[in-house]
Amino acid sequence: MLNNTALLAVGPDPNCNENVHGSDIERLVLLIFGGAVIFMQCGFAMLEAGFLPKHGVANILFKNMSDSFVGLLGFYIFGYALAFGGNFDEGETGIILGTRGFALAGVSSCELPFFLFQYAFAATSVTIISGALGTRSSFTTYMTYSFLFPAFIYPLPAHWLWAKKGWLLTGSSNVGVADFAGAGAVHMVGGMAALVGCMLAGPGFDRGTQSNFKRNPPHSIPLVVLGLFILSFGFLFFNGGSVVSYTLRVNTHALSGIGLAMINTVLAASGGGLAMVAHSKLRRGVLSITRAVNGSIAGMVAVSACAGFVQPWAALIVGVAGGISYLGFSTVLQRRRVDDAIDASSAHFAPGACGLLLGPWLFFQQGIVYDPSPDAFRRFGWHVLGVLVLSLWTAALSFVMFVALKLTGVLLVSEFADRYGVDRFEHDEVAYDVPRESNIQTLTQTS
Amino acid sequence: MLNNTALLAVGPDPNCNENVHGSDIERLVLLIFGGAVIFMQCGFAMLEAGFLPKHGVANILFKNMSDSFVGLLGFYIFGYALAFGGNFDEGETGIILGTRGFALAGVSSCELPFFLFQYAFAATSVTIISGALGTRSSFTTYMTYSFLFPAFIYPLPAHWLWAKKGWLLTGSSNVGVADFAGAGAVHMVGGMAALVGCMLAGPGFDRGTQSNFKRNPPHSIPLVVLGLFILSFGFLFFNGGSVVSYTLRVNTHALSGIGLAMINTVLAASGGGLAMVAHSKLRRGVLSITRAVNGSIAGMVAVSACAGFVQPWAALIVGVAGGISYLGFSTVLQRRRVDDAIDASSAHFAPGACGLLLGPWLFFQQGIVYDPSPDAFRRFGWHVLGVLVLSLWTAALSFVMFVALKLTGVLLVSEFADRYGVDRFEHDEVAYDVPRESNIQTLTQTS
Amino acid sequence: MLNNTALLAVGPDPNCNENVHGSDIERLVLLIFGGAVIFMQCGFAMLEAGFLPKHGVANILFKNMSDSFVGLLGFYIFGYALAFGGNFDEGETGIILGTRGFALAGVSSCELPFFLFQYAFAATSVTIISGALGTRSSFTTYMTYSFLFPAFIYPLPAHWLWAKKGWLLTGSSNVGVADFAGAGAVHMVGGMAALVGCMLAGPGFDRGTQSNFKRNPPHSIPLVVLGLFILSFGFLFFNGGSVVSYTLRVNTHALSGIGLAMINTVLAASGGGLAMVAHSKLRRGVLSITRAVNGSIAGMVAVSACAGFVQPWAALIVGVAGGISYLGFSTVLQRRRVDDAIDASSAHFAPGACGLLLGPWLFFQQGIVYDPSPDAFRRFGWHVLGVLVLSLWTAALSFVMFVALKLTGVLLVSEFADRYGVDRFEHDEVAYDVPRESNIQTLTQTS
């Protein structure tokens, strides 16, 4: 007996268990908030396009578009299973990785909201890399890491930190790493992979001499700021939705925490942004927009370590610290002539680590400033360990991947393409079509 | 006894019936998801503006803005009543059209979330036309179809496919057409109307000779990609929310299906986009951004036929097929010198039909590949019929409308306006104010 | 006994009372809808940047970014407490202002969704001012009012109109001012402060002679229209979410009213926009995009006075009236040579007042056109009083603030900076990096 509407009862198990998969409202939060996090792809694309010089804008936009495509396949086929396969079926997941649910095989439809939310996070992490390498990575490189990173590099830290049995989460004697919304799993991991890629790529031909390692000015501040606002919108839901994804693993419900996480996000954005505004005004006498943008992002990255766990005043402090950590890291990288096209590794890795290290001091009631107990210090120790482990894991695997690409000679586009303009060379399209003849004509006629 | 807050008890019937109007959560889904679908207007506007040459950008933006205004009136006054009037009151609606609820008269406030969601769909359909005709349709033409289309052309297919008693939905012996989220009702109908308009308009003066029917390059890739990302965001909710609007008619609740529909949407976008990336790389040796953008849209359009009804792997296939159907249709149109300014009819009509025809093969458990039963083939037959009926209905009515406009000589702007630049001619505004004197001055001083 | 996930039980009182803080769904509405309202910051930024001439675009974007930062601090530290401190604890708030909850101290975590939503409203109000003063206000001025306005000027009207014991809300004998979503509290107040700032600043050096008080044309229509679409998206949730924030104070639940409020918002946008389209076509023979954009905004502003209280046809009327009020006010300001860079005071103050004055005539069943009872006329009287009180309060305090800034000589940037280009002078960054040499080279080579 066929019936059109019966078709909706798809998937192996439509009868969701509230205690396992969350309530109707919680799954709705994952879906709506997850949709808003996916929209961060748009923010990254606009931000990166705005920051780059004009001749590579089409290329970077193409990359941002394609990493949604390719990255999704990597996460769908391999990543989710390694990170969370079996996570909702007790006893079916290890402390290192998951081993089932490849290509969503056998996954309950009740688990799909969680999948969507986690995909949004993985996609965010991938995008950090495309921004850092900018227009210089070749198409082959780009397709390779966009697939491999969310398939094999990202999932393990995500498992360690967020799967029910992940070893960093569980720690020892009830104390482990609390990475609320991905300061470690998303931003440190993505930022470190970006950093390794940039270091292996070396500085671009247009980055000046030793004494003058300058970045090209942004070709469009409106795109940069548009990107920031879209990212800020997404971050609200990135941190807010994490309340649900974080608590799902322990079968508790904490909807009231979403408000706190979202408010802490805007406060940290303010803190990071204002710190950079103050710095650029006091040190250079100008109000630097690019610094303020990156400072604000850094603040939101930092607070993603603890947005659901700290009081608003503490979130403001974490934001300021995140901004400063970005500035410091960026300065060091510039001195060492690491060519990160849009400072992506500085704006993600450094504040991510900073947030993770600050959290154990500021966690409400349980932080060291509230209660300097042995357990609180042990937690700080676990967080230090977490920062090291995440850094090493990502650095090692990214190094292998990028070195392999470098040895086979496909890491970067040719210097010719770079000088000629990668937009014309690889895409036969330019970001802005300026009808040249007419302009020249006008000018000629006038002069 | 007046009371400020009692004012909120507006509308004839504030006591919503969960079985009829959906639960609180379901109505909230319609409102939030509907809001995100309305935001697709922004995506279309940016995409179309980006694709067009510079001198008509203000015009196309004006049109996108105004079709929200005028189209809403058409749908509010006539369209909703014809499509869904009486749909929530048993026995009050026919198999061909509804006959009550004009200008929302007598409509329960509990039904308004459904109205909002359906308005968002109608608005999407209208916008497809404005993109295809681009800057060449006159203001009169534009205002006419923006009103008539959502008022009288769009509503009937919507009724046939989505109202409880619609004849295509109910079919015979429990088998009919299952158009999950508007591949037929929204995209085929909008795309066909666009196609008819373009064919009657003929090619623009700037589209080259017979042997070289080229389109102008996009004036701004950033706007195109911004548009795509906004559309992708909206499509998540377009397909996701359809779970509720689709199941409302049978009084079942299927919140868990929303996750599937959203995931299938991103997978189809990837499939369509990657198919076009591969095609342009293999066939032309370049990575075409415009192809990837349209392929990705086509994938999402195609999967809107079945996003809630198929498994993720099937959604990927539907996406790839949607991308290919767009490419094929676009190639045919170009050979036949049909001048569609942004390939809108190819990116909506073709993948819409493709998705509807593929669905019956892939529907979970009930599709032909799962169970090649007579009923499954009958369903495919109904889908073929649906594709034909939707095409013919829309072609016929659009033909009458556009021919009437052509005979009265108001279909297009004058060729003078077209050559002069419709922005200056019709709006006395230009998309970008470049202070010419100063630029020339600078140049003169330098050279 | 520490436990990672127990950390989420933050805040003094995690046990929310449904009757006081709203149900789970209602708090979720405040959070999601509040997030969308915060995104209006992006819309304002793009709209303002698009409207301004090129040389101040970076500056206005910087301002929009920073007012999110600074304004949040002002509202977080002082504003929320003055407006709503103690509002959820019976008997703890006065009729003039609240006196507790500074920096959220002692505020229940259950109240945070309401805080987030109210912050979004305060931020909207601040942004109106930054648009009006455009690029001419100095950094000092800007930081000052961005902090003081949401901290001390905005909160009192918000208290009077929206706190449970606010004197304008409670009125007398159950009749007072019903400002549904901030036509008065947000738009009139923000618009009046903007107007006072513009009048004290005087016209800019580039605004022509007495006989020709022209504004520079928008430097980018795409940014303007992008801004409008984002604002329209936000307004849906601005007005929709207000159903919850409005009814929370009386412990009733009115989810079904959200649909009405959202539909009325799009109808009013259409009404305001179409009124301006018709006006510019009939009076000037062109289709003015800038008029349509501002008319549409004015429609949404006007209906924010009553979106949850009136029938759809009435919302359409309110929208048209809002558009006309904007046009009239803008014409008067132009004649009086008040230099409002983007007509922000006209598009917010005038339609805000217009909506408040129209509401009592059109409120469903209780409006004068339904029931011309003494109470209905008394309500109109209260609304007239409300319009006067809000105008005077804001004018007085803004006057003090801006005069103080003027007397200390810091109100505006120097005329030198203004002529030189404030982007280069204050930020050492320009909105668009046009690599000049290469362009010139190309031109030279060609000619």
Side-chain angles (χ1 to χ4, degrees), chain B residues 29-30 42 189 233 324 438:
Chain B
V29 165
L30 291 177
C42 183
V189 167
F233 173 71
I324 294 171
S438 68

Side-chain angles (χ1 to χ4, degrees), chain C residues 208-221:
Chain C
T209 59
Q210 192 75 28
S211 60
N212 174 27
F213 190 64
K214 281 234 170 152
R215 188 177 292 131
N216 288 301
H219 97 278
S220 170
I221 298 276

Side-chain angles (χ1 to χ4, degrees), chain C residues 307-351:
Chain C
F309 301 149
V310 298
Q311 292 279 298
W313 61 264
L316 198 55
I317 292 175
V318 171
V320 171
I324 294 171
S325 75
Y326 145 71
L327 182 68
F329 203 80
S330 167
T331 309
V332 169
L333 288 195
Q334 188 155 351
R335 283 205 194 124
R336 290 180 173 272
R337 296 180 58 73
V338 176
D339 183 0
D340 179 331
I342 64 157
D343 250 3
S345 54
S346 305
H348 291 273
F349 175 79

Side-chain angles (χ1 to χ4, degrees), chain A residues 1-16 24-25 27-28 31-36 38-39 41-42 45-46 49 57-59 61-62 64-66 68-70 72-73 76 103-104 109-110 112-113 115-116 119 139 143 219 223 226 230 233 424-435 442-443 446-447, chain B residues 25 29 32-33 39 54 169-170 173-178 180 217-222 225-226 228-230 233 236-237 243 246-247 249-250 254-256 258-260 262-263 266-267 269-270 273-274 277 281 284-290 292-293 296 308-313 316 363-366 373 375-376 379 436 440 443-444:
Chain A
M1 186 71 73
L2 285 177
N3 180 295
N4 274 324
T5 48
L7 283 167
L8 268 173
V10 287
D13 177 16
N15 302 307
C16 304
D24 276 1
I25 296 185
R27 277 178 286 124
L28 194 57
L31 291 171
I32 296 175
F33 285 46
I38 288 176
F39 192 45
Q41 296 290 320
C42 183
M46 296 302 121
V57 168
N59 179 261
L61 289 168
F62 181 83
N64 271 280
M65 191 166 51
S66 310
S68 312
F69 302 159
V70 181
L72 170 61
L73 295 188
Y76 160 65
L104 286 174
S109 68
C110 304
L112 295 181
F115 172 86
L116 186 84
Y119 156 63
F139 180 65
M143 294 301 261
H219 96 278
L223 284 182
L226 172 63
I230 293 175
F233 173 72
R424 287 188 185 282
F425 194 80
E426 290 232 318
H427 304 280
D428 194 23
E429 289 172 310
V430 289
Y432 303 97
D433 176 59
V434 188
T442 314
L443 288 166
T446 320
S447 55
Chain B
I25 296 185
V29 165
I32 295 174
F33 284 47
F39 192 46
K54 214 172 198 169
L169 174 75
T170 52
S173 313
N174 257 330
V175 170
V177 182
F180 173 65
H219 97 278
S220 169
I221 298 277
V225 176
L226 172 63
L228 173 68
F229 275 114
I230 294 175
F233 173 71
L236 278 174
F237 296 95
V243 169
Y246 201 87
T247 52
R249 71 173 66 77
V250 288
L255 274 176
S256 70
I258 300 178
L260 178 68
M262 291 172 82
I263 290 165
V266 284
L267 281 167
S270 294
L274 284 176
V277 169
K281 184 71 183 172
R284 292 173 46 214
V286 294
L287 300 164
S288 167
I289 295 164
T290 55
V293 165
S296 177
F309 302 148
V310 300
Q311 292 280 298
W313 60 264
L316 198 55
F363 286 161
F364 183 64
Q365 289 181 340
Q366 301 185 7
S373 67
D375 269 359
R379 184 190 302 279
R436 294 187 182 200
I440 292 166
L443 289 165
T444 317

